[in-house]
Amino acid sequence: MNYSLGLLSMLLASIFFSLMNACIKVLSLHLSITQCMLFRSILMSLFIASLFLFKPIEKTHTKGGYLPLLIRSVCGASSMLLFFYNISTIPLGTASTFAQTVPLYAVFFAYFFLKESLHPIVFLATFIGFGGIILIGNPDANIPWLNIIIGILSGITAAMALVSVRGCKKYFDERVIILTFGIVASLMSFGGVLTHSIVPLDFLAWKEIPHHAWILILAMGITGTLGQFFMTKAFMLAPAGIVSPLDYAKIVFSLFLGILLGDPFPDFYTLLGISLVILSGILIAMPIFIQDFKTKLRRSNND
């Protein structure tokens, strides 16, 4: 029963995160992406901080962990900014696909830095995934090279943040990790806005906020918070190997929402590339899924 609820929670998380990304795409017409990141980070930080009112921080006897926490926060914030840039400049489904390449890089970071073993299927999945990225970047798709590079960097920095989280868990409460990320992202985006007078780039500018944009800012905060809630719930109710593949539904929802917002329908090669990225993510999760299934079957037989 818990597995079914876990899958449902992950599906809801994908829907809400896709809606959040759609809000960001519309907001990027009126605000700079640095402003979007600032409001997104502040709203997330306020929500996480409010959780401490219901359950105080439990002290840990393990000291240290500040370097992994800093890496997680800075890399996570950098990935967010890069992802927001792609959302504002290329079709939403394509931007979401680049963001979902995280497992391709995370498995290798985990191998080199955490000394985790890699299943042979992971190597096959990696080739398939990068083949998908090449197809998405085909000339007929009209995706600028800058966006392709930014998409790859957003996946790499997100993977570095994900791997760093594993190094933080034994030192900090999960809420502290998320709150620190939110605070660092807020400071980085606010600092970016302050430097606009020195570095006059459009994505760093502070633009006047139209009255109707505040509704979208609030919607962005609510959908992002709900997405975070249901994703956390999914991982609490079912093993990661079972619920993680369903996170790729985010690409499908984002593709649909992007078309509703005016994105062109992707060509055959782009669709094939998106499909290969989804397939690679499922293949990477497959060894964990099989292991979790065997564990559950073994427990059922013992009962």
Side-chain angles (χ1 to χ4, degrees), residues 32-35 81 188-207:
S32 70
I33 59 167
T34 308
Q35 278 177 285
L81 183 63
M188 285 178 61
S189 51
F190 184 67
V193 170
L194 291 179
T195 60
H196 179 255
S197 58
I198 303 173
V199 186
L201 298 174
D202 186 62
F203 74 90
L204 295 174
W206 182 270
K207 300 180 180 179

Side-chain angles (χ1 to χ4, degrees), residues 119-161:
H119 194 281
I121 200 172
V122 170
F123 292 98
L124 173 63
T126 302
F127 282 114
I128 292 174
F130 280 109
I133 293 174
I134 292 171
L135 287 173
I136 292 171
N138 78 87
D140 292 336
N142 295 318
I143 304 297
W145 275 104
L146 176 61
N147 291 102
I148 296 173
I149 294 171
I150 286 176
I152 293 172
L153 288 176
S154 70
I156 291 174
T157 48
M160 292 175 66

Side-chain angles (χ1 to χ4, degrees), residues 80-101:
M80 183 189 295
L81 183 63
L82 293 168
F83 178 43
F84 282 12
Y85 180 86
N86 266 358
I87 286 179
S88 67
T89 53
I90 61 176
L92 189 58
T94 304
S96 181
T97 303
F98 279 121
Q100 293 298 112
T101 58

Side-chain angles (χ1 to χ4, degrees), residues 5-302:
L5 291 176
L7 290 170
L8 177 61
S9 296
M10 180 57 80
L11 183 63
L12 290 172
S14 297
I15 292 173
F16 283 117
F17 276 131
S18 299
L19 290 171
M20 181 197 73
N21 294 340
C23 290
I24 293 167
K25 187 158 187 77
V26 178
L27 278 171
S28 67
L29 300 174
H30 309 285
L31 312 180
S32 70
I33 59 167
T34 308
Q35 278 177 285
C36 293
M37 177 174 163
L38 177 62
F39 288 120
R40 168 75 178 97
S41 303
I42 289 175
L43 290 169
M44 178 178 66
S45 299
L46 289 174
F47 169 72
I48 297 298
S50 68
L51 297 179
F52 292 110
L53 298 174
F54 301 98
K55 184 181 178 182
I57 301 176
E58 295 181 1
K59 292 184 178 181
T60 174
H61 298 291
T62 308
K63 304 296 182 181
Y66 295 105
L67 180 59
L69 184 64
L70 179 62
I71 294 174
R72 184 268 180 272
S73 302
V74 173
C75 288
S78 301
S79 177
M80 183 189 295
L81 183 63
L82 293 168
F83 178 43
F84 282 12
Y85 180 86
N86 266 358
I87 286 179
S88 67
T89 53
I90 61 176
L92 189 58
T94 304
S96 181
T97 303
F98 279 121
Q100 293 298 112
T101 58
V102 173
L104 299 179
Y105 312 107
V107 290
F108 286 102
F109 286 137
Y111 175 77
F112 287 109
F113 296 109
L114 301 181
K115 307 303 179 183
E116 295 183 1
S117 59
L118 293 181
H119 194 281
I121 200 172
V122 170
F123 292 98
L124 173 63
T126 302
F127 282 114
I128 292 174
F130 280 109
I133 293 174
I134 292 171
L135 287 173
I136 292 171
N138 78 87
D140 292 336
N142 295 318
I143 304 297
W145 275 104
L146 176 61
N147 291 102
I148 296 173
I149 294 171
I150 286 176
I152 293 172
L153 288 176
S154 70
I156 291 174
T157 48
M160 292 175 66
L162 180 64
V163 173
S164 298
V165 166
R166 301 183 192 180
C168 296
K169 283 185 176 180
K170 63 180 180 180
Y171 298 103
F172 303 103
D173 184 293
E174 183 183 41
R175 295 166 298 167
V176 173
I177 298 173
I178 300 174
L179 180 60
T180 304
F181 161 56
I183 293 173
V184 169
S186 299
L187 292 174
M188 285 178 61
S189 51
F190 184 67
V193 170
L194 291 179
T195 60
H196 179 255
S197 58
I198 303 173
V199 186
L201 298 174
D202 186 62
F203 74 90
L204 295 174
W206 182 270
K207 300 180 180 179
E208 185 178 351
I209 305 173
H211 294 299
H212 68 273
W214 288 106
I215 299 175
L216 285 171
I217 290 172
L218 182 61
M220 175 182 64
I222 292 173
T223 51
T225 299
L226 288 172
Q228 191 69 53
F229 170 79
F230 281 112
M231 177 169 283
T232 303
K233 196 74 174 175
F235 284 109
M236 289 173 62
L237 292 171
I242 291 177
V243 297
S244 291
L246 200 57
D247 187 41
Y248 283 86
K250 201 183 301 177
I251 296 177
V252 179
F253 295 135
S254 295
L255 185 64
F256 176 73
L257 290 171
I259 292 172
L260 289 180
L261 293 174
D263 287 341
F265 192 85
D267 62 19
F268 170 77
Y269 290 107
T270 302
L271 283 176
L272 179 59
I274 290 173
S275 301
L276 289 179
V277 170
I278 294 174
L279 176 61
S280 68
I282 294 173
L283 287 175
I284 288 174
M286 190 61 67
I288 306 174
F289 173 82
I290 294 172
Q291 182 179 352
D292 289 334
F293 179 78
K294 288 181 177 178
T295 301
K296 183 182 178 182
L297 187 63
R298 195 180 303 116
R299 287 175 181 173
S300 299
N301 293 333
N302 291 336

